[in-house]
Amino acid sequence: MAFWPMVGATGVTLVALLLERILRLLDMLSASSERFTFVAQLAVNLVPHYMGLTLPAAFFIALVIVVNRMNQASEVDALLAAGVSLTRLAAPFLFLAGVLSFVTLIVFGALQPYSRYAYRAVLHAAQNAGWSGVVPEGTIIEPNDKLTMTTDHADAAGQRLSRIFIRRITPENREEITTAEEAELRRTADGRNVTIALKNGQQLRFNARGEPELLSFQDFTMQLPLSGPARLLRARGGDERELNLFELAARANDPHSVIPRETLLAELYGRLARALALPLLPLLAVPLGLSAKRSGRAPGVIVGGVLLLAFHHLIQLGQSFAETGRAPAELSVGLPFAGFAAICFTVFLTSRKRPGETPIGRLMEHIANAVARVRARFSPQQAPA
């Protein structure tokens, strides 16, 4: 029952996060003539990363929606009246949470490390792909620190240009600025240079004495070198986030590991904590979904979202403490997990006797009453008629 709402929430959140990152990548790789190919590869490698972030939140939201829908239709009342306990009611959701926990373990333990390295490798190749002899319209091309080019208009191939600007540092380390109304780019036969045939332009350059010289021309040809791609990215494993669970455990027991042992353990325990948190979510979502009949769905979703966000950031904080040596990895990562588990179990156990009444619900009611009293105190009093 919770599967399709979870798929919908995961899909919407995943698409939103990917679109935001794709826009940033397009801006970052705007100088590359093959930026769309690179961005597509980068977006595919980002899916496991964002999947690990969105799956717990989407699962929690789906549980609250499904339980609240059953509650609004009085299905929960009928089940409870028939003697079905809250634990039995939550059993299917706990089973689904166990399956998702296994899936998340695969995502965190295997898919994310390899996709993270693949993302970095593609990004490295994109940022160091060099200049292929194409100038896209409205794009600033900087293949190196000695050449900058841009054009206002270009054909689909990026080789017939109009209103072009070229800034070049010559081998004698002198600045040279060239503008022209039209230009045509052609690769040389050896494929190492590109010839630019310029028409109706000017060139500002400096002579050996540092004096400016202005050259006006109708036809002018200049040759620029093509820059080749940089060497490949280092081998996988230089960062603990690129290692799978088995590699993390093996490196942590290796006395000759380059990465510190506490850093490896913090990464290992952090991934395990995020995966094992999935079975705890039904214990929190089912009581909040039942209480939504009176207070509405939004407070439960907001409270659960805040708890999930706090759990995620506390795990990150614990990992940073372990990496800097301020606390053992077992303690700095284990305490946030134990605290989150304690909250989930407390909410569920206190709701077994009176389903729909939770400590969080009572807290929200107290806050709402306090806000109402403050509003009534400071609202203007109406004069009697």
Side-chain angles (χ1 to χ4, degrees):
M1 292 183 293
F3 180 75
W4 291 115
M6 181 192 66
V7 171
T10 303
V12 171
T13 308
L14 192 62
V15 169
L17 292 174
L18 283 175
L19 285 176
E20 188 272 338
R21 179 60 74 90
I22 286 172
L23 291 175
R24 283 194 288 162
L25 289 173
L26 284 172
D27 182 63
M28 182 189 305
L29 303 178
S30 59
S32 174
S33 58
E34 299 181 0
R35 58 186 180 276
F36 294 106
T37 302
F38 285 126
V39 167
Q41 298 178 34
L42 291 169
V44 170
N45 287 311
L46 281 171
V47 171
H49 170 70
Y50 284 129
M51 182 66 71
L53 293 177
T54 59
L55 191 57
F59 180 52
F60 176 82
I61 294 173
L63 286 178
V64 173
I65 292 174
V66 169
V67 174
N68 181 50
R69 188 180 300 165
M70 294 174 59
N71 202 17
Q72 295 290 343
S74 299
E75 295 179 24
V76 175
D77 295 336
L79 290 172
L80 294 175
V84 178
S85 65
L86 189 63
T87 304
R88 180 64 183 86
L89 181 65
F93 303 125
L94 290 169
F95 175 77
L96 180 58
V99 175
L100 290 178
S101 180
F102 179 73
V103 173
T104 306
L105 199 61
I106 295 176
V107 172
F108 285 136
L111 295 182
Q112 278 192 6
Y114 290 99
S115 66
R116 186 182 299 274
Y117 176 76
Y119 174 86
R120 291 175 174 176
V122 174
L123 186 61
H124 176 81
Q127 291 176 331
N128 299 277
W131 181 44
S132 60
V134 176
V135 182
E137 179 179 312
T139 300
I140 298 176
I141 301 294
E142 289 184 291
N144 52 61
D145 58 354
K146 294 187 177 181
L147 178 63
T148 303
M149 302 176 62
T150 186
T151 182
D152 288 351
H153 303 284
D155 64 354
Q159 294 182 331
R160 292 183 180 272
L161 318 174
S162 61
R163 298 179 63 84
I164 186 172
F165 171 89
I166 303 173
R167 177 186 178 273
R168 184 169 73 108
I169 304 297
T170 65
E172 295 81 17
N173 203 30
R174 300 172 192 163
E175 186 177 24
E176 184 180 275
I177 298 176
T178 306
T179 60
E181 290 184 4
E182 298 179 4
E184 185 175 352
L185 281 67
R186 302 189 188 93
R187 286 196 183 190
T188 57
D190 58 7
R192 298 180 179 178
N193 299 280
V194 62
T195 301
I196 305 180
L198 302 162
K199 292 185 178 180
N200 302 326
Q202 293 182 326
Q203 185 179 82
L204 175 64
R205 58 190 178 188
F206 296 85
N207 57 27
R209 297 187 298 272
E211 299 171 345
E213 297 179 349
L214 183 63
L215 170 67
S216 299
F217 58 84
Q218 291 183 340
D219 294 283
F220 184 76
T221 302
M222 61 190 305
Q223 196 172 77
L224 299 174
L226 291 172
S227 53
R231 60 186 179 88
L232 296 176
L233 186 64
R234 53 167 175 77
R236 186 182 65 87
D239 187 338
E240 68 276 4
R241 292 178 294 178
E242 298 173 0
L243 301 173
N244 60 42
L245 291 179
F246 298 105
E247 291 170 339
L248 284 171
R251 293 276 189 95
N253 295 320
D254 184 4
H256 304 291
S257 176
V258 178
I259 305 175
R261 183 174 185 272
E262 288 299 324
T263 301
L264 295 168
L265 289 177
E267 182 68 20
L268 175 62
Y269 295 151
R271 294 188 200 176
L272 292 175
R274 291 186 178 94
L276 295 177
L278 264 295
L280 299 173
L281 294 183
L283 304 179
L284 181 66
V286 171
L288 291 179
L290 293 176
S291 64
K293 189 172 185 179
R294 295 183 303 172
S295 59
R297 186 187 304 167
V301 173
I302 293 173
V303 171
V306 170
L307 288 175
L308 283 175
L309 190 63
F311 171 72
H312 176 73
H313 285 293
L314 285 174
I315 291 292
Q316 285 187 328
L317 182 62
Q319 288 180 277
S320 64
F321 278 170
E323 291 172 2
T324 55
R326 298 180 184 178
E330 296 85 350
L331 185 64
S332 60
V333 177
L335 279 180
F337 178 80
F340 182 71
I343 292 174
C344 294
F345 275 105
T346 301
V347 171
F348 185 79
L349 294 176
T350 54
S351 301
R352 292 181 64 188
K353 294 182 179 179
R354 302 186 67 179
E357 292 190 9
T358 65
I360 295 177
R362 289 192 290 270
L363 177 62
M364 297 297 295
E365 289 179 4
H366 290 321
I367 294 175
N369 292 334
V371 171
R373 286 195 296 270
V374 171
R375 184 181 300 174
R377 180 176 181 181
F378 289 99
S379 60
Q381 300 291 332
Q382 293 183 356

